[in-house]
Amino acid sequence: MSDNVTILGAGLAGSEAALQLADRGFRVRLVEMRPGTPTPVHATGACAELVCSNSLKSTKPESAAGMLKAELDALGSHLLAAAHRHAVPAGGALAVDREAFARDVTALIEGHPLVDLVRGEAASLAEEARGADALVVATGPLTSGALAADLARVAGAGHLAFYDAAAPIVMADSLDGERLFRQSRYEDGSDGAGDYLNAPFTREEYEAFAAELVAAERVVLRDFETRELFQACQPIEEIARKGLDAPRFGPLKPVGLTDPRTGRRPWAALQLRAEDAHGTCYNLVGFQTNLTFSEQRRVFRLIPGLEHAEFARFGVMHRNTFLDAPRLLDASLRLTASGAAALGVPVFVAGQLAGTEGYCEALRSGLHAALAVAAELSGTGLPPLPRETAFGALLAYATSPETRAYQPMHVNFGIMEPLAEHVRNKRERYAAYAARGADALAAYRAQLADRGLMPKTAPAADAPVEGLPEGSSRA
């Protein structure tokens, strides 16, 4: 009889982990509380629903985000393959039609014979661990109150929370095509090239908008809800409070853009990115917000070209929950808190709950947790993930006891091991990081294959894993 693994949460990390483990012959019980228990930001009960942005970031091989995607491809990520199948134009980034992507992932989950998708809210880790050989907690930043309280009890004082914000989405047919222009940064927009729509501000328009943005009414939050605003998703109005020009050097930076009407760079510019393959709605890039809905409608319609914008979704601010990973997780993402031992099964944590930030980071952590569970239950042991890889660097940072005042982190070159020889040119330096990481990943993948955790040759990312030996614990 196969080992049984319970996974809590059918988001990006949980869905990836479920498919990876099922491919390796494990029976997976995947528990998802939606739609019966909704969240403030999810709209459906679909697996892997994206709620903040539809962008999975850069695909450039010499970027940290591009390195991470190469790792996911090499390790056979199901969800990255689904993202490619439902990609929408986004310049050098991978963005998806979020509804089609979620439908695809849900179909993969529901169609796998070894995955049992259970709808219902998990409230107790001990209860969910009963009858399982391993437990993976991937309930994400919006973990329900009951489960969060139980997790806090098991993890102890390392349980923390911060607050995140999502940007509005506007309908394409409500935008002023005469004022907006299509162009990606540093590309010629005269022939209609480019994947972004741009709303250019004059100095006068920008200053009037900034003044209204700062004065606009916000959703009132209690003090404990405002202590930790996650820096990577600061609401646009909070950025504006730092100074008149702060948005112009942040989300509204005009660099690399030329307004075809004037032939010059705008004083400031908002970029809008397509939300679906048909371009029926657009995301206001970098405009996470905590303004009231009525104020969003009033203030954001001051943006040139958005005077008559119709909102498909208003921006919202919501609670995010994550663990203090440096004190609570090891390099396999196993929960080391003393309370976890009492559960009687190994407990792993994946996704944003593990203290990483980003969609692809969540996919990779789900894949890593799946490999760790497979290694644990088959008795093969998990080879160490090289720090030279993108996720290896992030994992080393996130689980190092030396990391203090931890906040969720994206993959980036700042946390990677320095090159043996300094490369002055930034582009060449990043390319060297990527080349070194590719070599390290190839060696790591070979180690996984030697231990029966990965096929000898890389399969297509959406194909079942074949050729894995039956471990004695799965017999």
Side-chain angles (χ1 to χ4, degrees):
M1 181 177 180
S2 299
D3 284 315
N4 297 299
V5 181
T6 292
I7 299 175
L8 307 183
L12 294 172
S15 296
E16 184 71 57
L19 292 168
Q20 294 293 335
L21 283 165
D23 278 351
R24 287 161 173 78
F26 296 93
R27 294 193 177 278
V28 177
R29 177 174 173 265
L30 179 61
V31 182
E32 172 55 54
M33 69 179 186
R34 294 177 294 112
T37 302
T39 77
V41 295
H42 288 87
T44 74
C47 301
E49 180 185 344
L50 307 182
V51 296
C52 287
S53 166
N54 69 328
S55 174
L56 277 67
K57 295 191 173 180
S58 177
T59 58
K60 295 179 180 178
E62 67 278 7
S63 68
M67 283 181 64
L68 186 58
K69 290 178 181 61
E71 293 174 19
L72 285 165
D73 273 331
L75 297 175
S77 167
H78 284 280
L79 269 66
L80 185 64
H84 285 300
R85 288 195 292 272
H86 302 290
V88 298
L94 172 60
V96 302
D97 180 325
R98 68 176 74 211
E99 293 183 4
F101 170 74
R103 284 197 303 269
D104 192 339
V105 175
T106 303
L108 291 175
I109 292 291
E110 293 179 337
H112 202 297
L114 292 181
V115 179
D116 180 17
L117 179 59
V118 177
R119 299 289 186 175
E121 181 180 352
S124 165
L125 294 177
E127 183 66 27
E128 298 301 332
R130 189 172 293 119
D133 297 292
L135 179 65
V136 179
V137 186
T139 46
L142 298 176
T143 298
S144 70
L147 187 62
D150 193 56
L151 183 59
R153 179 188 60 78
V154 171
H159 185 258
L160 303 175
F162 65 91
Y163 281 76
D164 198 359
I169 297 173
V170 294
M171 301 303 297
D173 59 8
S174 68
L175 304 176
D176 184 355
E178 295 297 319
R179 187 67 191 270
L180 304 180
F181 62 92
R182 184 173 293 280
Q183 188 182 131
S184 296
R185 296 190 191 280
Y186 301 105
E187 292 182 357
D188 181 7
S190 62
D191 60 356
D195 294 328
Y196 292 84
L197 292 179
N198 298 274
F201 290 83
T202 65
R203 180 170 185 170
E204 293 75 18
E205 289 168 334
Y206 172 80
E207 292 181 352
F209 170 74
E212 292 296 326
L213 183 62
V214 170
E217 181 182 358
R218 294 171 292 165
V219 176
V220 177
L221 299 178
R222 293 182 292 259
D223 175 66
F224 82 90
E225 294 175 328
T226 59
R227 289 184 203 140
E228 296 292 340
L229 290 174
F230 181 40
Q231 294 300 310
C233 285
Q234 284 279 300
I236 183 63
E237 62 271 15
E238 296 301 326
I239 295 174
R241 281 184 173 79
K242 299 180 187 301
L244 176 63
D245 284 327
R248 200 165 67 87
F249 286 91
L252 294 178
K253 61 179 179 291
V255 296
L257 298 173
T258 301
D259 187 344
R261 298 192 313 156
T262 65
R264 299 191 303 271
R265 187 172 77 178
W267 182 255
L270 166 68
Q271 288 203 303
L272 297 94
R273 181 181 58 238
E275 272 291 309
D276 57 14
H278 304 292
T280 59
C281 52
Y282 281 79
N283 185 291
L284 277 60
V285 177
F287 263 50
Q288 297 89 355
T289 183
N290 190 36
L291 298 184
T292 64
F293 290 177
S294 60
E295 286 289 75
Q296 289 182 49
R297 184 183 292 108
R298 180 183 69 84
V299 176
F300 294 156
R301 282 179 175 176
L302 297 175
I303 299 171
L306 274 67
E307 291 87 353
H308 304 289
E310 295 295 333
F311 291 80
R313 184 192 74 189
F314 288 105
V316 293
M317 195 168 189
H318 52 87
R319 180 176 180 173
N320 277 356
T321 304
F322 70 99
L323 292 174
D324 185 13
R327 258 58 64 186
L328 295 172
L329 301 179
D330 66 15
S332 69
L333 293 177
R334 184 168 182 166
L335 184 61
T336 59
S338 58
L343 297 176
V345 300
V347 181
F348 298 83
V349 183
Q352 285 186 261
L353 191 62
T356 61
E357 174 66 22
Y359 289 153
C360 285
E361 287 84 346
L363 297 183
R364 184 65 183 88
S365 71
L367 204 163
H368 187 72
L371 291 172
V373 170
E376 172 82 14
L377 297 184
S378 63
T380 60
L382 185 68
L385 181 60
R387 291 193 62 163
E388 292 79 10
T389 63
F391 191 72
L394 180 61
L395 190 65
Y397 173 81
T399 59
S400 170
E402 298 179 0
T403 302
R404 299 296 173 185
Y406 184 64
Q407 283 281 314
M409 177 75 76
H410 298 278
V411 294
N412 64 85
F413 290 123
I415 57 175
M416 291 188 184
E417 289 288 294
L419 296 167
E421 296 183 5
H422 178 67
V423 179
R424 183 176 298 274
N425 181 276
K426 184 167 70 173
R427 178 172 295 181
E428 293 176 357
R429 184 166 67 251
Y430 289 173
Y433 276 127
R436 185 187 67 176
D439 290 341
L441 180 68
Y444 173 69
R445 194 188 182 289
Q447 289 180 307
L448 291 172
D450 288 342
R451 301 187 189 197
L453 298 171
M454 190 71 64
K456 293 292 184 181
T457 57
D462 57 351
V465 176
E466 298 177 353
L468 292 173
E470 287 293 327
S472 58
S473 65
R474 283 183 270 171

